[in-house]
């Protein structure tokens, strides 16, 4: 018989053998041939991670005439002849002792039943093995970053694939580790500003972990810190500071009584930096003393606070001799200067001790 004729005959024999094996057994059950039960062997399942390499081996013998590795209805190798067009499949060993192939970069499509069919002089035998492919978790559907107003209801979604099926949990990061949710969905009713931040979705199975994040920005109206009155000596530099907590950041306006102050107005300077606004007086004059109001505004509302810029008179030798007197603020009101009284007491203390 010619080489070509032998190959054709061998191919027909192998195909008939594979069909014989596959047609006799329902899908998903161990493969049995028509030979003796002792001639057929079902190996333990092989569990492999996605991306790894798996080797499949079956025993040979002196009386083996033809061998083939099959995957479901496809012939991978018939003897040393490769039938599979998949470049990941290759022959490792074929001799009288073993017939071994390998599959590199295993994927989910490789999962299933594999059969090593051996034709001997007496009767055929088979070795069967089931490959189980484990897949690390991968988050495939995740809510986008969102911006909401305080008091809104928020729902985040996180879905993941993997085998075994991954478990999913949510938490606000950084946190103490307490779970915000152990489900695909995280519900936050009437969200507050304290619940704003970065939320982590974690998908875990026996193979690996996948983590992705969602940012929640919570908008709220400004809250202004209580104003601190400031005393400044005539002709000196003075600063009023107004701080507002708000998202988005607040815009600031300054007023003296009912009149709005603009940058550069009467030698004043307004500098806004994030949540802080500063009103600076470079050379305080009599007309600068008085009441000031800071107003912080964003699209959700506004808040304000008031300040008093009052005069401070430095003590001199003449004021010490004159005794305590009233100090006028910018609006004409009298303010007691207790420091002058203390100084006068210290000056006259030696005379009092003589008596």
């Amino acid at each position: 018989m010619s080489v070509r004729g032998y190959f054709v005959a061998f191919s027909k024999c192998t195909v008939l053998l594979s069909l014989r094996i596959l047609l006799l057994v329902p899908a998903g059950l161990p493969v049995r041939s028509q030979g003796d039960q002792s001639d057929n062997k079902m190996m333990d399942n092989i569990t492999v991670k996605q991306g790894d390499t798996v080797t499949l081996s079956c025993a040979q013998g002196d009386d083996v005439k033809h061998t083939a590795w099959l995957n479901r209805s496809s012939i991978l190798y018939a003897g040393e002849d490769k039938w599979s067009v998949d470049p990941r499949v290759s022959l490792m060993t074929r001799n009288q002792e073993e017939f071994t192939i390998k599959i590199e970069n295993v994927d989910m499509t490789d999962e299933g039943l594999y059969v090593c069919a051996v034709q001997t002089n007496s009767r055929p035998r088979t070795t069967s093995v089931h490959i189980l492919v484990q897949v690390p978790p991968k988050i495939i559907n995740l809510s986008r970053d969102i911006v909401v107003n305080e008091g809104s209801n928020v729902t985040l979604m996180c879905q993941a694939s993997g085998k075994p099926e991954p478990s999913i949990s949510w938490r606000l990061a950084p946190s103490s580790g307490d779970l915000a949710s152990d489900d695909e969905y995280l519900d936050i009713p009437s969200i507050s500003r304290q619940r704003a931040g970065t939320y982590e979705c974690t998908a875990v199975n026996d193979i690996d972990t996948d983590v992705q994040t969602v940012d929640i920005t919570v908008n709220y109206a400004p809250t202004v810190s209580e104003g601190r009155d400031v005393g400044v000596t005539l002709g000196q530099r003075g600063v009023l500071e107004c701080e507002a907590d708000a998202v988005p950041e607040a815009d600031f306006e300054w007023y003296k009584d009912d009149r709005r102050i603009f940058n550069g107005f009467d030698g004043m300077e307004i500098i806004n930096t994030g949540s802080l606004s500063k009103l600076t007086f470079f050379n305080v004059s009599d007309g600068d003393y008085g009441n000031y109001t800071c107003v912080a505004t964003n699209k959700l509302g506004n808040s304000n606070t008031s300040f008093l810029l009052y005069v401070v008179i430095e003590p001199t030798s003449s004021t010490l001799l004159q005794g305590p007197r009233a100090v006028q603020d910018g609006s004409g009101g009298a303010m007691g200067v207790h420091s002058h009284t203390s100084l006068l007491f210290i000056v006259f203390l030696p005379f009092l001790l003589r008596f």
Side-chain angles (χ1 to χ4, degrees):
M1 180 182 294
S2 65
V3 174
R4 182 175 181 276
Y6 173 81
F7 178 75
V8 171
F10 174 78
S11 300
K12 290 181 179 179
C13 177
T14 307
V15 171
L16 289 173
L17 178 61
S18 65
L19 290 174
R20 177 188 179 196
I21 293 171
L22 294 172
L23 292 174
L24 288 173
V25 183
L29 295 179
V31 173
R32 308 291 185 189
S33 76
Q34 292 179 348
D36 196 309
Q37 293 286 350
S38 61
D39 295 328
N40 305 304
K41 181 180 179 182
M42 186 68 187
M43 299 171 59
D44 293 336
N45 293 339
I46 297 178
T47 301
V48 60
K49 296 179 182 178
Q50 185 182 42
D52 286 354
T53 298
V54 63
T55 60
L56 303 176
S57 180
C58 68
Q60 301 294 283
D62 294 336
D63 60 345
V64 172
K65 299 175 64 175
H66 305 296
T67 56
W69 266 109
L70 304 94
N71 174 18
R72 295 180 287 271
S73 60
S74 301
I75 300 174
L76 302 178
Y77 265 89
E80 296 182 357
D81 296 319
K82 182 177 180 179
W83 285 46
S84 173
V85 296
D86 193 335
R88 301 174 302 127
V89 180
S90 61
L91 177 65
M92 291 186 63
T93 307
R94 182 179 181 272
N95 52 39
Q96 289 184 344
E97 296 180 358
E98 65 174 284
F99 181 28
T100 303
I101 64 172
K102 70 176 180 180
I103 305 173
E104 299 178 292
N105 193 24
V106 173
D107 201 355
M108 278 296 298
T109 56
D110 300 314
E111 187 171 87
L113 185 67
Y114 290 76
V115 178
C116 176
V118 177
Q119 179 66 50
T120 67
N121 291 325
S122 57
R123 55 179 174 267
R125 69 173 186 268
T126 62
T127 301
S128 306
V129 62
H130 202 101
I131 293 182
L132 302 175
V133 180
Q134 292 185 326
V135 182
K138 182 176 178 60
I139 295 173
I140 57 176
N141 196 0
L142 184 70
S143 295
R144 296 182 178 180
D145 297 344
I146 58 173
V147 178
V148 296
N149 293 339
E150 191 169 34
S152 301
N153 296 326
V154 175
T155 298
L156 300 182
M157 178 186 66
C158 179
Q159 296 176 329
S161 62
K163 185 179 180 180
E165 185 177 352
S167 60
I168 294 177
S169 62
W170 283 97
R171 75 182 185 99
L172 177 60
S175 71
S176 60
D178 295 336
L179 292 180
S181 172
D182 57 357
D183 189 58
E184 291 182 352
Y185 295 92
L186 171 63
D187 294 319
I188 311 174
S190 189
I191 192 169
S192 65
R193 65 193 71 181
Q194 290 78 19
R195 296 297 301 273
T198 299
Y199 285 78
E200 289 183 350
C201 171
T202 302
V204 180
N205 67 9
D206 296 338
I207 310 303
D208 207 348
T209 300
D210 189 21
V211 179
Q212 293 191 31
T213 60
V214 177
D215 288 329
I216 299 181
T217 300
V218 178
N219 292 332
Y220 52 91
T223 302
V224 180
S225 302
E226 185 177 354
R228 297 176 59 186
D229 298 342
V230 175
V232 182
T233 302
L234 192 65
Q236 299 299 309
R237 181 177 181 273
V239 180
L240 300 179
E241 295 186 355
C242 179
E243 187 171 9
D245 179 25
V247 176
E249 289 184 344
D251 295 321
F252 292 93
E253 295 177 359
W254 285 91
Y255 295 85
K256 185 175 190 297
D257 297 325
D258 294 330
R259 183 177 58 174
R260 183 174 177 182
I261 301 171
F262 294 93
N263 202 13
F265 177 81
D266 288 347
M268 303 178 199
E269 181 183 58
I270 300 173
I271 297 179
N272 299 327
T273 307
S275 62
L276 183 66
S277 180
K278 293 183 179 181
L279 175 62
T280 302
F281 306 83
F282 293 99
N283 185 6
V284 174
S285 64
D286 287 333
D288 293 329
Y289 295 116
N291 294 305
Y292 291 83
T293 301
C294 168
V295 180
T297 305
N298 68 8
K299 64 182 181 180
L300 297 180
N302 61 74
S303 181
N304 65 80
T305 188
S306 298
F307 303 82
L308 175 65
L309 183 69
Y310 61 90
V311 64
V312 173
I313 298 179
E314 295 181 349
T316 63
S317 57
S318 59
T319 56
L320 288 175
L321 293 175
Q322 291 173 6
R325 68 182 181 87
V327 178
Q328 301 294 322
D329 64 11
S331 59
M335 301 179 63
V337 184
H338 302 291
S339 59
H340 297 171
T341 305
S342 301
L343 289 173
L344 287 172
F345 179 77
I346 294 172
V347 170
F348 290 103
L349 181 60
F351 298 95
L352 295 173
L353 292 176
R354 293 180 181 180
F355 299 94

